[in-house]
Amino acid sequence: MMTQSIEFPPTLRGQLLKNQSLADYTSWRTGGPADYLYLPADLNDLSAFLQALPEAVPLTWLGLGSNTLVRDKGIEGAVVITQGALKQLAEMDRHKIRAEAGVSAAQLARFAARTGSTGLEFMAGIPGTVGGALAMNAGCFGGETWRFVESVETINRKGEIRIRPLNDFKVAYRKVARPLDEWFVAGHFALVSGDKEKSLSDIRNLLEKRNNSQPTGTANCGSVFRNPEGNFAGQLIERCGLKGKRLGGASVSTKHANFIINENQATATDIENLIAEIGAIVEKETGVRLMPEVCIIGRS
Ligand SMILES: Cc1cc2nc3c(=O)[nH]c(=O)nc-3n(C[C@H](O)[C@H](O)[C@H](O)COP(=O)(O)OP(=O)(O)OC[C@H]3O[C@@H](n4cnc5c(N)ncnc54)[C@H](O)[C@@H]3O)c2cc1C
């Protein structure tokens, strides 16, 4: 069902797009349209947009769409895009950094390193935003986003911003339970003193490791499945002989079995069906039920 027509005040400074394809806003480069897409001008403008958005209109958030599959029938309601919008980044105090939700994880990693703070180097290779990293507790190479969070700023449907401490959230592996109807607009990261050159060199090494093990330069969403306790999803998929398996335009990466690539104009349905098929085969052959890490959203 198409969302009712909404009247927004002319004072909004962001970009409002109707019936806008989300393929350009997700790293899988596929997916249907959002009824309304909003790219806020800044935090105040986002707050004004939320105040104007009728309560009944469903609201979805996207950062860089690097962990999200948008179904082909698109998304009902409004989608807020933070990338390129909420982009303030500053050292507030020694080794304390405030990063808005639309700042890229890579930018935050480099900024922290350059200010002589250590801890966030792992973020350099995560192709998402700070908001997405907070929502997913993104991590790799032993690092995890929430290990460095002191507090976060959230916004609600009324456009009200509040600062919440760490213990308002239930944080687990690639999962964060947050108050309903609140979204992240900034994170406050508490780091420790480091050696700038070492941090920058660690970042270079981590990126090189990634290039060697992941299908860089392809349209994908990173790891599709969460690693089950004591196991690796990629190894289980590989053991079932699924590397290179194709469905429509989607295929399992031959470089990393937990990656699905949009190889040839895959639809979101191709990808979702391939995810389901991999899950069923792995469960049948190994007895392990894989759970998707990617967020699958939109009209079914
Ligand atoms: C090549 C590649 C490698 C990757 N490697 C890793 C890795 O090593 N480790 C890892 O953890 N992930 C990895 N990922 C997955 C992804 O980059 C991370 O999960 C990232 O944190 C997602 O950020 P995003 O901005 O793209 O989120 P999106 O995909 O835009 O959103 C993800 C989820 O977060 C929600 N969300 C987004 N912004 C907000 C907000 N401001 N407030 C509340 N909710 C929000 C969305 O609604 C959605 O549910 C990889 C992805 C790719 C493509």
Side-chain angles (χ1 to χ4, degrees), residues 48-161:
F49 170 78
L50 292 173
Q51 284 167 44
L53 189 70
E55 278 283 324
V57 176
L59 178 63
T60 303
W61 286 59
L62 274 184
L64 274 153
S66 66
N67 205 41
T68 302
L69 179 66
V70 175
R71 293 198 176 103
D72 297 314
K73 288 184 186 157
I75 298 186
E76 188 183 343
V79 176
V80 165
I81 304 279
T82 62
Q83 59 155 308
L86 306 181
K87 53 188 179 198
Q88 288 195 12
L89 176 60
E91 191 179 34
M92 310 303 284
D93 210 340
R94 199 67 192 114
H95 309 305
K96 304 234 178 194
I97 294 175
R98 175 182 183 270
E100 286 192 346
V103 169
S104 77
Q107 206 188 338
L108 172 58
R110 285 207 165 81
F111 179 83
R114 284 197 203 104
T115 56
S117 302
T118 187
L120 294 180
E121 293 84 350
F122 74 93
M123 274 199 172
I126 296 179
T129 58
V130 166
L134 288 169
M136 298 303 304
N137 190 20
C140 57
F141 300 121
E144 254 186 4
T145 303
W146 278 80
R147 211 172 291 159
F148 302 94
V149 171
E150 194 169 60
S151 61
V152 294
E153 290 167 43
T154 63
I155 197 163
N156 63 16
R157 288 278 313 218
K158 294 185 184 129
E160 296 162 341
I161 295 164

Side-chain angles (χ1 to χ4, degrees), residues 27 61-68 82 101 125-129 131-133 135-136 138-140 174 178 183-184 210 214 220-222 259 293 295:
S27 62
W61 286 59
L62 274 184
L64 274 153
S66 66
N67 205 41
T68 302
T82 62
I126 296 179
T129 58
M136 298 303 304
C140 57
R174 303 290 175 271
R178 62 174 196 273
W183 294 270
F184 300 112
R210 254 172 204 275
Q214 296 182 358
N220 67 72
C221 229
F259 280 47
E293 177 178 320
C295 309

